[in-house]
Amino acid sequence: MIFKELKEIGPSCFELLLLADPSKKLIDAYLQHSRVFVACRNEEMDGIIVLCKLNNDTVEIKNVAVKPELQGKGIGSFLINNAIAFAENEKYKSICIGTANSSTGQLYLYQKLGFDISEIRHNFFLDHYPEAIYENGLRVKHMLMLIRQLR
Ligand code: ACO
């Protein structure tokens, strides 16, 4: 599996990005000032991760997604661990990620990879997404922010 930066964002990228974030409008906005990396095998793009500089100290994982048929095989962990290594190399002090109150699997994964809950953005999804979203039988309402300190 190779981790590499993408310079051009094509339609196949959007198929993945929309799995993590249903708002094309928000994706277009953060892609403008982000760097995009992919996990590739035999030239096939299996997963994607979007990193956006928040300030000189902190970079945020804005979007991480793996092809549905390949989820649960370690590719998401591979992407996040490589993003952590990239951020350390770029001398960031911390890396953060946000996910929904309903995203229990993702919350488990991020904490397993060393992220800690740092903030709750109450009603974030109610305020920023026009349609009601449900996940795991729960209304998607709040954004939980998690942060990991870097070397
Ligand atoms: N439900 C249940 N468990 C999950 C989930 C989930 N949705 N996602 C990850 N896990 C658990 C796995 O069971 C696994 O546990 P284990 O190591 O104890 O076996 C662990 O997390 C690691 O899983 P990986 O195989 O490394 O993760 P994967 O390759 O599936 O990638 C990802 C995780 C990116 C969340 C993927 O499932 C996905 O693309 N989901 C849809 C899009 C999405 O929700 N993206 C994140 C939104 S938040 C954001 O983008 C900032």
Side-chain angles (χ1 to χ4, degrees):
M1 182 74 61
I2 294 170
F3 182 78
K4 67 173 186 189
E5 186 162 10
L6 263 197
K7 289 298 177 196
E8 283 193 27
I9 314 299
S12 54
C13 296
F14 274 93
E15 267 177 46
L16 284 172
L17 295 167
L18 287 162
L19 293 174
D21 185 343
S23 169
K24 170 93 168 47
K25 196 171 145 203
L26 287 184
I27 294 173
D28 283 336
Y30 56 69
L31 281 181
Q32 309 256 337
H33 34 88
S34 294
R35 293 175 74 170
V36 179
F37 299 84
V38 290
C40 278
R41 206 174 20 125
N42 307 326
E43 298 298 311
E44 281 279 311
M45 187 172 58
D46 291 343
I48 196 161
I49 191 161
V50 177
L51 299 181
C52 180
K53 176 179 180 170
L54 290 187
N55 55 51
N56 286 342
D57 289 341
T58 308
V59 65
E60 178 173 350
I61 299 174
K62 282 286 192 185
N63 188 308
V64 54
V66 172
K67 277 186 181 165
E69 66 274 20
L70 297 174
Q71 289 174 9
K73 296 179 189 296
I75 299 171
S77 304
F78 172 83
L79 284 163
I80 294 170
N81 281 328
N82 274 280
I84 290 168
F86 168 83
E88 282 179 338
N89 213 30
E90 296 280 306
K91 310 283 182 234
Y92 285 106
K93 293 187 179 139
S94 59
I95 183 164
C96 66
I97 188 163
T99 195
N101 57 287
S102 50
S103 300
T104 49
Q106 290 83 339
L107 279 167
Y108 160 77
L109 172 61
Y110 306 152
Q111 289 176 87
K112 197 167 113 173
L113 294 177
F115 291 78
D116 251 339
I117 294 172
S118 57
E119 183 193 342
I120 300 174
R121 297 187 181 159
H122 288 278
N123 298 328
F124 179 90
F125 292 95
L126 305 183
D127 294 342
H128 292 87
Y129 292 75
E131 316 261 307
I133 314 169
Y134 289 85
E135 182 187 28
N136 297 321
L138 293 172
R139 179 84 188 263
V140 179
K141 289 185 194 165
H142 315 299
M143 172 88 90
L144 274 65
M145 294 304 301
L146 298 96
I147 195 158
R148 186 193 198 273
Q149 301 307 320
L150 300 173
R151 264 192 277 116

